[in-house]
Amino acid sequence: MSRLADLAQHAGVSEATVSRVLNDRPGVAANTRQAVLTALDVLGYERPSKLRRNSAGLVGLVVPELTNPIFPAFAQAMETRLAAANYTPVLCTQVPGGIHEDDYVRMLLDRGVASIVFISGYHADTKADITRYTALRERGLPITLVNGWREGVEATFISSDDIAGVHLAVRHLRELGHTRIGLATGPARYIPVQRKIEGYELAMDELLPDAEHFVQTTLFTVEGGVAAGRRLLELGVTAVVCGSDIMALGVVRAARQAGLRVPEDVSVIGSDDSQMIGFTDPPLTTVRQDVESMSEAAVTAILEEIQGEHVVHREYLFAPDLILRASTGAAPDRG
């Protein structure tokens, strides 16, 4: 395959468009031009000299799979801000059985990246080794880590306040009269999950001090939501707070499979407010992550550090919002 064809395929454009970009000709949309330049960098082709001045450098964005809409939302928000600052974002997506985070890091270092942003990476996994991050810091590479925190890594951490988010959800359900409230979330080894469980227990102890706690940890998938939902419904809950919107869709499915209506028989709350979740059946009440503000803070931190400014390495927590839709309602009368 020729270089033009290779670039065209990677960027999803025609070879003619690639040619116009490489020759710095007008008539190409800014986002299309950026896609071709990113393809050049990712595939290891050298930029024509007249195009090199257009970029201050490369910044890697390492994200999990893109089937959960919250991850492409973060990637898009960060890419926009990086491109505006004349940096070329390089998106690295992990999928099961695909390229490992550490392999992506080696590839990015070979490309001479100026910085790397990790979104929900191994820094969120309490069982993962942190030396992959401390080694980058020892090299002097600025990194920002989103949604997850690990002691011993001198970097900027950007997180949604999971404890506060679950508290908002439980309070809303309590105000609707629910007393048997469950939590369905992902594997307990992850920092955001641990914080969600802590937020749930704190809220339950405060708002329903004598109530039983119901926690199910499965996978951050629709199937995981179905499994957790079935178990919680068997235990007699009337409301479920979920660790992600995707899991919430699984809980809704489990309720319907059990012959229950949402929200008349069981209320369901998601987490993230990912794209299109307001158009599900029923539209999902959810705890919204402030993706735009979190992305702006993450990019600002790395750009300041790249430019040699003093950056305080700490975790910044962003307050979530409860978005009320149609998947929550008054507790059913079981008397």
Side-chain angles (χ1 to χ4, degrees):
M1 184 180 290
S2 69
R3 183 178 72 147
L4 280 181
D6 201 10
L7 291 167
Q9 182 180 42
H10 193 278
V13 299
S14 68
E15 292 184 32
T17 297
V18 172
S19 178
R20 283 197 293 273
V21 172
L22 296 182
N23 289 290
D24 203 20
R25 292 175 183 164
V28 180
N31 59 342
T32 302
R33 184 178 298 274
Q34 189 62 54
V36 174
L37 294 177
T38 300
L40 268 173
D41 298 323
V42 169
L43 297 175
Y45 292 119
E46 187 174 348
R47 290 190 180 203
S49 57
K50 56 189 169 186
L51 297 180
R52 291 175 196 164
R53 67 180 183 275
N54 293 336
S55 175
L58 306 180
V59 173
L61 300 179
V62 182
V63 302
E65 39 73 30
L66 298 181
T67 53
N68 186 333
I70 195 64
F71 298 132
F74 271 115
Q76 180 173 317
M78 291 185 192
E79 284 179 337
T80 300
R81 287 167 172 79
L82 287 167
N86 264 355
Y87 283 83
T88 300
V90 181
L91 184 62
C92 302
T93 305
Q94 299 183 79
V95 295
I99 298 177
H100 191 277
E101 179 178 303
D102 295 341
D103 296 324
Y104 272 129
V105 168
R106 283 190 287 270
M107 291 166 59
L108 291 169
L109 292 176
D110 287 344
R111 298 282 186 270
V113 291
S115 177
I116 303 175
V117 179
F118 296 89
I119 303 169
S120 298
Y122 284 103
H123 64 283
D125 187 343
T126 58
K127 294 186 177 180
D129 191 351
I130 65 169
T131 56
R132 54 175 49 90
Y133 304 115
T134 57
L136 292 175
R137 294 300 299 134
E138 287 167 2
R139 294 175 63 121
L141 188 77
I143 61 174
T144 296
L145 303 111
V146 178
N147 280 337
W149 177 84
R150 297 294 295 279
E151 186 176 2
V153 180
E154 289 295 318
T156 299
F157 291 85
I158 304 293
S159 298
S160 186
D161 191 338
D162 292 300
I163 293 176
V166 174
H167 196 285
L168 285 173
V170 173
R171 178 177 292 278
H172 170 59
L173 294 169
R174 181 69 191 96
E175 290 171 349
L176 291 171
H178 295 273
T179 57
R180 297 183 67 82
I181 300 169
L183 175 69
T185 188
R189 69 177 189 268
Y190 292 111
I191 292 292
V193 171
Q194 294 175 5
R195 290 176 172 177
K196 283 179 169 69
I197 293 172
E198 181 182 355
Y200 169 80
E201 292 176 342
L202 288 171
M204 292 292 285
D205 288 344
E206 175 189 336
L207 302 170
L208 291 161
D210 298 321
E212 188 176 353
H213 292 190
F214 305 95
V215 176
Q216 290 291 308
T217 55
T218 56
L219 299 174
F220 279 118
T221 61
V222 171
E223 293 76 17
V226 170
R230 284 176 179 164
R231 180 58 182 151
L232 290 170
L233 293 171
E234 288 171 358
L235 294 171
V237 304
T238 63
V240 183
V241 179
C242 301
S244 73
D245 292 332
I246 301 299
M247 287 192 79
L249 297 180
V251 172
V252 171
R253 179 181 294 176
R256 288 178 173 158
Q257 289 173 347
L260 300 173
R261 300 165 297 167
V262 178
E264 292 84 358
D265 300 311
V266 59
S267 290
V268 180
I269 298 181
S271 181
D272 291 340
D273 194 31
S274 41
Q275 190 177 21
M276 306 301 291
I277 213 66
F279 300 94
T280 56
D281 179 25
L284 193 66
T285 294
T286 188
V287 178
R288 173 185 289 166
Q289 285 196 64
D290 191 351
V291 171
E292 291 298 323
S293 295
M294 292 170 68
S295 299
E296 182 176 7
V299 171
T300 298
I302 60 170
L303 293 182
E304 288 178 350
E305 197 160 353
I306 288 171
Q307 292 157 13
E309 298 181 28
H310 175 69
V311 174
V312 178
H313 291 139
R314 49 161 289 188
E315 183 179 28
Y316 297 88
L317 292 177
F318 285 75
D321 294 311
L322 182 64
I323 308 302
L324 299 179
R325 298 196 179 100
S327 66
T328 50
D333 182 3
R334 293 187 175 176

